[in-house]
Amino acid sequence: MPDWQELVRQRLSGLALDPSEKEEVHVELAAHLEESYEALLKENVPEQAAVSAALFQVTDWQDLQRRICAAKKRGHIMKKRLHQLWIPGFLTMGLSIVFLVTLQKLGFNARIVSWRDSDIFFYAPWLVSLPFLGALGAYISSRAGGSRGTALLASIFPALALTLTFLLMFPIDMIIEPIIGRQADFKIVAAALLKDGIGWMLFPGVALLAGGLLAHVLLSLRPSSRETAIG
Amino acid sequence: MIGSGIKRGTAELAVLSVLHDGPLHGYELARRIEQQTNGALRFTLAALYPMLYRMEQQRWIRGTWETSANGRRRRCYRLTPAGKKKLTPLQREWAELFHALQRLTKVSHA
């Protein structure tokens, strides 16, 4: 009797899955072929013919390999995106909001700095905390196997979300104004906040990115984490 | 003999229907479908497993490893609550399609 597992392993060696998952596919498919072969032997088919007939179930192993990968990875992509981007991103954003509210409650107020006829919103205590939160986001993303780009995206997620929210106010305003029949405040607020974008988005974004970059550099220096950070 | 296009469309329904009767491993599942359809639907290994893995990702079925009496490890598939939910409308859709086709062929023969 042929070694079915070895036979399948040779033919599906390029299966781009985790080693444990790859092994499970090999074992499962080998068991199927073995059972087909045994059923044929029970029908008095000669051994060599039974082997050929069992293997004849797969005419193109490369195509099977590709289709198994596509089927298995469909769910993987969504799961990976959740663990590498959404969870660390939202965690970073949640913590940065909690920090901002806490600092305000503790009486740490923002400073307004004048620069070239403009007032820039400057919240030093909050900005100091952001690199740590950016680093946390990048760390969690990298630990989940996120690539450098994904880890950095997770670290600056709060600044991106804030920018997107402000930008969304314009189309929302355009929809709401004709409905309520009077001028809504969204556009005014958004325009004012965008004008202060340096303080609300650019500085926090840079602080978060600095933390994210630092965490990524530190993680990539560790040999054990280098492999998991690529993906 | 049913054409390959129709077969592909009915494959998920066949798997869900058979698993509705109880859990089965891949080989047994293929055999059961073949027996119950008098050979009209026949799944080779190459056709069966990519579909089972896709259905598992969609959470319609769930595979668990079991060891048989002779020590062979096999993956047993069972229907999930989501799979059971999927089965009823799928059965209805296909029944409607076949009734429509039956009516159509009767009209064109008349």
Side-chain angles (χ1 to χ4, degrees):
Chain A
M1 188 175 81
D3 183 346
W4 291 104
Q5 286 195 22
E6 190 50 39
L7 234 141
V8 173
R9 218 168 272 139
Q10 281 169 4
R11 285 164 171 76
L12 295 179
S13 58
L15 209 56
L17 297 171
D18 295 336
S20 62
E21 204 170 17
K22 191 172 165 178
E23 183 59 21
E24 282 188 352
V25 171
H26 290 162
V27 172
E28 184 171 23
L29 268 54
H32 186 112
L33 287 174
E34 196 175 331
E35 282 187 82
S36 304
Y37 162 79
E38 284 173 356
L40 289 163
L41 287 184
K42 277 181 195 161
E43 290 169 18
N44 296 321
V45 175
E47 188 174 338
Q48 200 48 49
V51 172
S52 303
L55 285 174
F56 190 69
Q57 291 186 69
V58 187
T59 48
D60 187 345
W61 286 90
Q62 289 295 315
D63 179 58
L64 176 64
Q65 191 166 271
R66 204 170 40 249
R67 286 189 298 124
I68 288 174
C69 277
K72 289 250 178 199
K73 282 190 169 173
R74 229 178 98 152
H76 281 202
I77 292 167
M78 286 171 74
K79 208 189 276 182
K80 270 170 90 173
R81 204 172 289 159
L82 179 74
H83 287 101
Q84 294 173 359
L85 178 65
W86 299 117
I87 290 176
F90 276 105
L91 184 73
T92 312
M93 189 167 80
L95 286 175
S96 66
I97 292 168
V98 168
F99 253 81
L100 182 66
V101 173
T102 310
L103 287 169
Q104 281 175 338
K105 288 207 168 176
L106 289 173
F108 292 100
N109 293 317
R111 287 181 63 184
I112 308 290
V113 181
S114 292
W115 186 66
R116 290 190 184 178
D117 302 329
S118 306
D119 293 332
I120 298 171
F121 174 85
F122 197 74
Y123 208 150
W126 185 52
L127 288 175
V128 168
S129 72
L130 290 181
F132 295 101
L133 299 178
L136 180 72
Y139 173 75
I140 295 170
S141 174
S142 293
R143 283 299 298 252
S147 63
R148 184 173 61 182
T150 313
L152 295 180
L153 206 59
S155 71
I156 60 164
F157 192 84
L160 291 178
L162 198 65
T163 309
L164 187 70
T165 308
F166 291 148
L167 290 174
L168 275 176
M169 282 188 181
F170 293 99
I172 289 171
D173 179 59
M174 285 170 73
I175 296 164
I176 285 182
E177 261 185 21
I179 296 169
I180 61 173
R182 63 181 176 83
Q183 197 181 7
D185 291 338
F186 300 114
K187 204 152 64 184
I188 302 160
V189 174
L193 288 171
L194 269 180
K195 193 173 144 278
D196 294 332
I198 295 174
W200 273 108
M201 288 164 258
L202 190 64
F203 284 162
V206 170
L208 288 162
L209 186 65
L213 274 170
L214 189 68
H216 186 76
V217 168
L218 290 174
L219 277 170
S220 60
L221 288 175
R222 286 167 54 193
S224 59
S225 62
R226 191 170 289 163
E227 282 173 21
T228 53
I230 300 163
Chain B
M1 194 74 175
I2 297 167
S4 61
I6 302 287
K7 273 184 183 175
R8 253 197 312 275
T10 52
E12 288 175 351
L13 175 64
V15 169
L16 291 176
S17 299
V18 170
L19 288 181
H20 189 64
D21 297 336
L24 290 169
H25 63 272
Y27 177 77
E28 195 56 43
L29 178 67
R31 269 180 64 100
R32 193 72 64 87
I33 291 171
E34 193 178 331
Q35 282 168 357
Q36 289 183 3
T37 61
N38 293 325
L41 285 178
R42 205 170 283 169
F43 285 97
T44 61
L45 177 147
L48 182 66
Y49 287 93
M51 183 180 59
L52 286 178
Y53 297 150
R54 196 182 63 243
M55 289 172 78
E56 199 175 15
Q57 292 294 341
Q58 285 166 320
R59 295 171 196 271
W60 296 346
I61 59 171
R62 190 166 62 89
T64 46
W65 284 98
E66 284 173 10
T67 308
S68 63
N70 60 5
R72 185 181 287 160
R73 284 183 74 219
R74 294 187 305 193
R75 199 139 189 264
C76 212
Y77 292 93
R78 63 196 73 231
L79 213 57
T80 63
K84 281 179 191 159
K85 228 176 182 174
K86 178 79 189 168
L87 180 61
T88 316
L90 209 59
Q91 281 172 327
R92 200 178 48 237
E93 279 169 31
W94 277 97
E96 280 171 11
L97 176 69
F98 282 116
H99 284 141
L101 287 171
Q102 263 181 339
R103 279 198 303 272
L104 191 71
T105 47
K106 272 179 195 166
V107 169
S108 53
H109 278 289

